[in-house]
Amino acid sequence: MAESSIKKLASTLLDAITDKPLVQEQVCSALCSLGEVRPVETLRTCEEYLRQHDKLAHPYRAAVLRAMERVLNSRASELDKDTASTIILLASSEMTKTKDLVWDWQQAASGVLVAVGRQFISKVMEELLRRLHPGTLPHCAVLHTLASLSVANAFGVVPFLPSVLSSLLPVLGMAKQDTVRVAFCSALQRFSEGALEYLANLDRAPDPTVRKDAFAADIFSAYDVLFHQWLQSREAKLRLAVVEALGPMSHLLPSERLEEQLPKLLPGILALYKKHSETFYLSKSLGQILEAAVSVGSRTLETQLDALLAALHSQICVPVESSSPLVMSNQKEVLRCFTVLACSLPDRLLAFLLPRLDTSNERTRVGTLQVVRHVINSAAAQMEDKKPFILSSMRLPLLDTNSKVKRAVVQVISAMAHHGYLEQPGGEVMIEYIVQQCALPPEQEPEKPGPSSKDPKADSVRAVSVRTLYLVSTTVDRMSHVLWPYLLQFLTPVRFTRALTPLCRSLVHLAQKRQEAGADAFLIQYDAHASLPSPYAVTARLLVVSSSPYLGDGRGVAALRLLSVLHPNIHPLLGQHWETTVPMLLGYLDEHTEETLPQEEWEEKLLMFLRDTLAIVSDNTWICQLSLELCRQLPCYDEAPQEKNFLYKCIGTTLGAASSKEVVRKHLQELLETARYQEEAEREGLACCFGICAISHLEDTLAQLEDFVRSEVFRKSIGILNIFKDRSENEVEKVKSALVLCYGHVAARAPQELVLAKVESDILRNICQHFNTKDPALKLCLVQSVCMVSRAICSSTQAGSFHFTRKAELVAQMMELIRAEPPDSLRTPIRKKAMLTCTYLVSVEPALDEQAQADVIRSCLHSVMALLPEPKEEDGGCQKSLYLETLHALEGLLTSLLQRNMTPQGLQIMIEHLSPWIKSPRGHERARALGLSALLLRHFLEQLRVSALVPFHNLGLLVGLFSPRCADLWPVTRQEAVDCVYSLLYLQLGYEGFSRDYRDDVAERLLSLKDGLAHPDPTILFHTCHSIGQIIAKRLPPDQLISLLLTMFEALGDPEKNCSRAATVMINCLLQERGGVLQEKVPEIMSVLRSKLQEAQGEHVLPAAQHSVYLLATQHCAAVVSSLLGSPLPLDSHTSMLWRALAVEPRLAAQVLGLLLEKMSRDVPFKETRAFLLGRTPDRVATLLPLSATCALFEVLSTPAAGPAVLELYPQLFVALLLRVSCTVGVQLPRNLQAQERRGASPALAARNLEPCSSAVDTLRAVLLRSGSEDVAQRMDLEGGWELLRTSAGHEEGATRLARAMAEHAGPRLPLVLKTLACTHSSAYENQKVTTTAFLAELLNSNVANDLMLLDSLLESLAARQKDTCASVRRLVLRGLANLASGCPDKVRAHGPQLLTAMIGGLDDGDNPHSPVALEAMLGLARLVHLVEAWDLRSGLLHVAIRIRPFFDSEKMEFRTASISLFGHLNKVCHGDCEDVFLEQVVGGLAPLLLHLQDPQAAVASACRFALRMCGPNLACEELSAAFQKHLQEGRALHFGEFLNTTCKHLMHHFPDLLGRLLTTCLFYFKSSWEDVRAAAPLFTGFLVLHAEPRQQPQVDLDQLISALQILLKDPAPEVRTRAAEALGRLVKLA
């Protein structure tokens, strides 16, 4: 390899070093590439360049030096001594060229010296020592280099240290500038660190005889200057540099000197704390000094201790809130200092620290606690005998309420637990403190977490305490005997409630460990632990808190597990039962979440658990003790109403199991006297307690309630409250509410056989006396209690013989309560409870009279129906639930009342009450009324018992009332209406004598029609209504038809329009189905329909009048058509409907369509104004008669009945309208119609676009729809074809899409259409020729042309247009011929010569180099070449390849894409049979294709991918072809650099002779106008050279290539310059 070539490459690259940073970086990378191959030559060139370009700016010199450093870091071992010496001299010169500090430059030069120094340390040190002149200050960069070498090669530098120090120390005093002094400090620091590393690894050192004494004297001399002179500087940076150096230097000082200097050194360091905000380096150095002092056994340290501790303590008290790592590191260094002092002077340290715990300052206390924790952990041996002293000093911190202090205290206690502190006297206080913090409420937790915490809760006092308690309990074995059973005493106090979950978890773990140790260790000796809660207290507490299992982080699970584990300490008989039952309870909780848990069901499971437990124990004394403890704990739950409510249930359950009546009555009395009646939950809980107790003790419970009402306690409380009447009336009512509820629950739960005897005498007597209240809570309690009493009466086995004398009174009271409720809102369950009560009372004797019954129905209906619509679930779940429950209560009441009168008259009465609500203008009221009606009818049908054939005389009225509701706006109303009609029809069948299980096929069809009613589409809805009308007509008795029709006529005026329309539909259906029996009524019915047509709101009646129009048209068709054509445009709605009426009958419709086609073609489609003829703004105006005929055609075709007529005239309609569309594109409306459109059409006019082309398109679409070609229309809809047809720009594509849709979905109709189109090629309108050519061309794209034997005629038609004067027609002809490839590929071979001739001729069409005809020819050839005969193609192959090659670099993307794609197809066709002459074209196109992969247009790049994949096989190189297939698959991301590298590797391996040709092509693309392609060319060049062999060098004009790349280095695009620099770096292969 010639050195001159390397030098030239490197020099070329170095000339570009002054470019932008991105290019500069690539230049450096290229230099490194050169250096990797030939490091010596590259480094010498760089050295020579810097030496020759002495005035090159220092940033660029620095870049070159950095490149040299990178080469040296990997190739320094290959240097010879001469080169190393040259580089060392250069770097040294660069580093010291200027005395000023130019850090970037000097740092780069220093890096070169350090890199060389790893291999040639002696030479580097020799040069550096040469730069150290006696009596002269060294250059700062020299000092920096010496320092860096000490770190990079300590073993090499340390032996030179004496010489270095001897040169530097004499001039230390001469350093006056702070930058120089800082450099000296840094060097001394690194020297000391290097020496310490050397001494610590003497076993690996080159000279193991080196000792600390060798440096001690020199280091002390330096220390003297640094400490006594420089440390006093005002420059903060210098002071820090001095301090950093003093730390490691202190380890090298002689012991006696260090001892001598400590009294000055330590205060000097400490004084700097006040001067510097960044104190990390101070603390680090101080720690090193302290370690050095302790290592020599310094006695001076004690005299300095107070100042040391004060300074360090102030540092640790600084809050660590900064995100700076230095702040955190400073804390660690300060704590390291405390560790050093704790290990050497523990007593003095504690004497300093512990008194500071008594301060009230937050920072001081937190910092002190942090140090105490650290000392406990890091100096455990020294602190062993200080434990009592430390424990006693924690007294005041335990009382601090600050959250940061609390967190620090918890952390100290955690450390104490691990080191045995809590086993000392006073340790229990620490444990209690942890539990107290576990019980902190959420609002007392800190809002701002510490900086190290990602989760705000993770750093809260409570979270830290919970973790600490659990860890201490589970991981510190020595704490087991301390915590067990001590933690049990925290279970019952209320203040520790929030700590229950962590307490229970810790206790479970401790208990399990005790069980493993043996029964003796587990059983609790309560005599020895008087402070522990009793087993009854623990059982009560854990059971009650389990009722809210998800509170407090899931305390229910924890409490139940603890209860299960403690069973031996609670009662010896419970073990087996609890071991099976508790896991089932826990499993139930696992199946649910807080949102899904059914609370009542869960509480019932717990109560069952309690009942079973009491049954197993079966010890009255134990049960009484438990009940006593339960009662004692009632005040503990004043702030937890749900749990207190459950506690009352537990008390009732326990008292029910007690056999001592005296105990039962005593506890019941205490509960009544001590209850907090103001709380609703407590009143409910007290009532539940009495109800549960009454199951076993009914007499005692009632007696106790009676005694309380009569007692002095009750009267005294009432009297005291009456003294403060204004304030206490409400409180008196609360006591009464509780008593009323108690009576209700007693009645509901007591044994049924005992209740009836007590209802009126003992229970209702005490309830009814409170009905005159105005208090809403008491009202609710009264209704609730009466409801429970009524249910108890009905559920009794003796209810049938029971005569309830208070029934009418209670019903009246319930009605009064219902009427007192607000009519439009549902706020309380009073309605629900009152209606439930009435439901129970209805079935009890005596029966209500008719007036009372009507009053009940009216009142209850009004109370529910008039409510505002029920809320959505997300808006109010509770309100939704209450509404549904109230509605169910109403349903039950009405059903019970109907059951008392199961006759048609009874049903009629109920429906009459509902009728106003069924017709209500408010949808929600109708929905409710229909729902109730359906329910009542179903019930009536289910309970129907017909003993004799009797008429269902009100069937017509009821069906007429419900059937129009099948079209109600509310879907639920429609469904319910069908159900009502269904039930009525079966009721009729029942009255006709059919059995109850009979199923009528006609009536059953109603159920299948319900799905249609769910659809919001009116067409489907009313079609379903028509079907319902048919069913009604078939099953309605003749005598009911008139009443039904009259009722339906009334429904026509229904304010709900949908129902009115449904009535119309059903009337027509009835007339059609049953008109024979209504002969004398037909005039009356028609008169009604005609009158409805005249009304403004009666447009839904209009279809009833269309039959008259039909009759008139059958007699005078032409006159009717002419008359209607004279109607003004746009057509109004009535005129449109009349046009549509003419299509009712196919024969008439065909006559009308023929007349309209004749009218449309009679006149010219438009008139050209003079302005257009003069060449100014185009102005074509539509003629009126064809426009009117087109609009009329649309109206007729819009009628489904026109289908047969459209099929008959399909070809004429299709062609006429297609031509109409083509010649109205861009045509305007007449001026009078334009003005009318601008003013806005009348609301009565049809909402259609009158624009000529749009109206023609709409009509053409209507022809397709009406002729059964819906698929064609839908395809055009989906593809936007109709919109394209309307516009000048998209019309051609619209015609193409129409042809495609016709070929796919309406092929059999094409022969007649083509026959009709045959004469259009000579049309006078150019637009019509373009449209029809596009249509014909697209037909060839489908196989329908061959299937229907249309191919020859289509080809002839297109051939006739091939020489047309219109370029668009010629282009479309080529497209049509090419479409043969996809439509009839098997016919291409037969017509091959004709097709190829046309296409090749198209390539030369006109003089325009970018002719659209040529573009179409290339696209067509790409489709055809695979299908023609090889011989036919071979003759023109070379011509085509040469003709399309210039298009590869066309400025137009479409031409590049088409030509490259065609080139790929030509290659594909020639696979395995490629002539040499074409192979030459393949090779020539390879480079352009590779470079155009980076084309800015994605379509071009995709075409290149395809073409290259196709070229691969023709190149006879499997590896290259495989690479193309792997990397260039469509949809796969291309890493261009990687792919190009692989391609070039294979090209150079298999086609080495192509190197020169490929490089020449690349040189052409160096001038490309596309930046990406221009950047790809040098990249391609670089990879070609990278994989070339030296023997290929003669093919390359290296000078030309380097010159071209030099030009690219000046390209305006940075990416291009970068690639050029990269390529230059790779030319090393050819140099």
Side-chain angles (χ1 to χ4, degrees), residues 123 365 698 1043:
K123 287 185 174 295
R365 186 168 276 174
L698 176 60
S1043 63

Side-chain angles (χ1 to χ4, degrees), residues 407 445-450 453-461 463-464 467:
R407 198 156 40 243
E445 295 182 4
E447 295 181 0
K448 294 183 179 179
S453 172
K454 294 181 180 178
D455 183 1
K457 294 186 177 178
D459 206 32
S460 67
V461 176
V464 172
R467 289 199 303 271

Side-chain angles (χ1 to χ4, degrees), residues 872-884:
K872 302 296 182 184
E873 191 67 35
E874 60 269 17
D875 297 334
C878 296
Q879 282 294 100
K880 175 78 172 178
S881 175
L882 178 58
Y883 166 77
L884 292 176

Side-chain angles (χ1 to χ4, degrees), residues 311-318 331 334-335 338 367-368 370-371:
L312 291 171
H313 188 265
S314 65
Q315 284 298 304
I316 207 68
C317 292
V318 174
Q331 291 271 322
V334 171
L335 290 174
F338 275 111
T368 305
Q370 190 176 353
V371 176

Side-chain angles (χ1 to χ4, degrees), residues 950-1000:
V950 293
F952 188 15
H953 59 84
N954 47 5
L955 176 64
L957 294 174
L958 294 178
V959 171
L961 177 65
F962 291 122
S963 55
R965 297 296 149 192
C966 294
D968 195 281
L969 281 177
W970 285 50
V972 65
T973 305
R974 301 197 289 266
Q975 302 289 334
E976 299 288 5
V978 174
D979 289 341
C980 291
V981 174
Y982 177 82
S983 298
L984 285 170
L985 293 183
Y986 269 104
L987 282 174
Q988 173 61 31
L989 291 171
Y991 279 106
E992 289 177 3
F994 288 93
S995 63
R996 291 181 58 195
D997 57 352
Y998 171 72
R999 285 294 169 263
D1000 182 72

Side-chain angles (χ1 to χ4, degrees), residues 403 406-407 410-411 414 434-442 444-446 449 453 455-471 498-499 502 505 553:
S403 61
K406 286 184 174 183
R407 198 156 40 243
V410 172
Q411 291 168 346
S414 176
I434 293 288
V435 178
Q436 286 174 348
Q437 306 319 304
C438 292
L440 278 177
Q444 292 188 16
E445 295 182 4
S453 172
D455 183 1
K457 294 186 177 178
D459 206 32
S460 67
V461 176
R462 185 179 185 278
V464 172
S465 302
V466 168
R467 289 199 303 271
T468 301
L469 179 62
Y470 187 73
L471 288 173
R498 292 188 182 88
R505 289 173 180 166
D553 301 325

Side-chain angles (χ1 to χ4, degrees), residues 956 959-960 963 1032 1036 1040-1048 1070:
V959 171
S963 55
I1032 294 171
L1036 196 73
Q1040 296 290 315
L1041 186 58
I1042 294 302
S1043 63
L1044 173 58
L1045 281 173
L1046 293 177
T1047 308
M1048 288 282 196
L1070 289 168

